[in-house]
Amino acid sequence: MAQAQTLSRNQQIVLDIIEKAKGPLKAYSILYNVQKKGINAPQQIYRALDKLIEMGKIHKIESKNAFVACRSSDCEISKATAFSICESCEKVDEVSDAKLSKYLSSFNHKKGMKFKRFNLEFFGLCKKCK
Amino acid sequence: MAQAQTLSRNQQIVLDIIEKAKGPLKAYSILYNVQKKGINAPQQIYRALDKLIEMGKIHKIESKNAFVACRSSDCEISKATAFSICESCEKVDEVSDAKLSKYLSSFNHKKGMKFKRFNLEFFGLCKKCK
DNA sequence: ATCATGGTGTTATAATATAACGTTTGTTAT
DNA sequence: ATAACAAACGTTATATTATAACACCATGAT
Ligand SMILES: [Zn+2]
Ligand SMILES: [Zn+2]
Ligand SMILES: [Zn+2]
Ligand SMILES: [Zn+2]
């Protein structure tokens, strides 16, 4: 629930370019790519990115400071995300595995912490590169 | 195999301060804390951090751009790391759970990717904060 | 109409990280 | 011991990533 579903102009522009991309995009690379559309400042990009993440439309790949479109449906509003990252060609795929997601969602720390969210990044070589 | 086990002066200084810290430290905060010891430039910190990570003495918390000392033995040379992160007080704990580690280490992507390494970050409220 | 909310545009600046260069130190091989 | 090599060092400069702050505008609710 809760997401307005209707994107603002800037949000739509940023989402479009991330969705069209073959791999993760960095904030400033997005910026350079949308300057023709009248977006001139980092703030405009970061604001759109923040909202898109909130909505679950995109995810941040933390180890790369880069952003990908969500291709899954299991990661409800970015509460449970997993990615595979090729260390050679930089390819990133969203790992969508119900068992894994369930396993991690129900994992609880011995120390008594109850988790709301997790992010998992796998590193290795993709099919092509190995 | 392979790690020299013997730390250089700068590496030792940086490791000491990270080990003494109660929580994750940022690179520049480390820098400010060691200027009295004659370390003046970010490069010196980042070089030490890189080596310490390679050796498995510390880990980077990617979502916070901060560094913690390794408190575990299961994460052999940082190939398999997991952390719990409190979103309120910023407390970070290394999650050391043999089952979890085994499960993830043997996880393979359907797409044919074989993983070498993973990093997992859980978010929630710690015992104190919940 | 006034208020609150959320989005926009802009300027400036903070925070994080790396490049490049030459020097020094420690280890290994002859 | 000394030459050769690798690793660590110190330094200056710069690149990259991200946020602060402020004024403006549109929408919808009271
Ligand atoms: Zn997703
Ligand atoms: Zn690849
Ligand atoms: Zn560890
Ligand atoms: Zn807490």
Side-chain angles (χ1 to χ4, degrees):
Chain A
M1 71 204 85
Q3 74 265 47
Q5 214 54 309
T6 158
L7 301 183
S8 76
R9 174 183 149 79
N10 287 1
Q11 288 161 10
Q12 190 64 60
I13 290 171
V14 170
L15 179 57
D16 284 348
I17 195 169
I18 294 176
E19 282 181 336
K20 266 182 266 165
K22 289 183 189 112
L25 290 183
K26 303 213 152 211
Y28 277 74
S29 125
I30 295 170
L31 176 57
Y32 300 137
N33 276 283
V34 298
Q35 291 190 324
K36 51 200 167 205
K37 305 219 175 182
I39 297 184
N40 305 299
Q43 268 290 4
Q44 297 172 281
I45 303 298
Y46 281 105
R47 285 199 286 231
L49 290 171
D50 286 348
K51 289 301 174 180
L52 291 168
I53 288 170
E54 261 181 51
M55 293 174 193
K57 303 272 188 195
I58 66 171
H59 303 300
K60 181 172 186 181
I61 307 298
E62 293 287 358
S63 61
K64 300 174 84 71
N65 298 316
F67 303 85
V68 295
C70 177
R71 311 287 188 192
S72 168
S73 48
D74 295 359
C75 60
E76 1 145 358
I77 317 296
S78 304
K79 293 287 178 288
T81 51
F83 305 93
S84 69
I85 300 168
C86 177
E87 285 177 317
S88 167
C89 72
E90 312 274 283
K91 183 170 164 44
V92 171
D93 275 317
E94 188 157 359
V95 174
S96 173
D97 182 290
K99 264 193 195 169
L100 173 63
S101 181
K102 203 169 176 183
Y103 182 78
L104 292 176
S105 295
S106 63
F107 184 88
N108 271 327
H109 199 352
K110 289 157 191 151
K111 300 284 168 63
M113 186 155 174
K114 174 78 182 157
F115 303 123
K116 290 200 198 84
R117 182 165 79 80
F118 68 79
N119 179 58
L120 172 56
E121 298 182 4
F122 286 106
F123 303 87
L125 295 177
C126 75
K127 207 171 182 176
K128 266 193 179 172
C129 293
K130 81 180 168 192
Chain B
M1 72 213 86
Q3 73 265 46
Q5 212 57 307
T6 159
L7 301 183
S8 76
R9 175 183 147 81
N10 287 1
Q11 288 160 13
Q12 191 64 60
I13 290 171
V14 170
L15 179 56
D16 283 348
I17 195 168
I18 295 176
E19 281 181 337
K20 266 183 267 164
K22 289 184 189 111
L25 289 184
K26 304 213 153 212
Y28 275 74
S29 125
I30 295 170
L31 176 56
Y32 300 137
N33 276 283
V34 299
Q35 291 191 322
K36 51 200 165 202
K37 306 220 174 181
I39 298 183
N40 305 300
Q43 268 289 6
Q44 297 172 281
I45 303 299
Y46 282 104
R47 284 199 287 232
L49 291 172
D50 287 347
K51 290 299 174 182
L52 292 168
I53 288 170
E54 261 181 52
M55 293 175 193
K57 303 272 188 196
I58 65 170
H59 304 300
K60 180 171 187 183
I61 307 299
E62 294 286 358
S63 61
K64 300 174 84 72
N65 298 317
F67 304 85
V68 294
C70 177
R71 311 289 187 190
S72 167
S73 48
D74 296 359
C75 60
E76 0 145 359
I77 317 295
S78 304
K79 293 287 178 287
T81 50
F83 304 93
S84 69
I85 301 168
C86 177
E87 286 176 314
S88 167
C89 70
E90 314 274 286
K91 184 170 166 44
V92 171
D93 274 316
E94 188 158 359
V95 173
S96 172
D97 181 292
K99 265 193 194 168
L100 173 63
S101 181
K102 203 168 177 184
Y103 182 80
L104 292 176
S105 295
S106 64
F107 183 88
N108 271 329
H109 199 352
K110 289 158 189 150
K111 300 284 167 60
M113 187 154 174
K114 173 80 182 157
F115 303 121
K116 289 203 201 84
R117 181 167 79 81
F118 68 79
N119 179 56
L120 172 56
E121 298 182 3
F122 287 105
F123 302 87
L125 295 177
C126 76
K127 208 171 180 178
K128 264 193 179 174
C129 292
K130 81 182 169 191

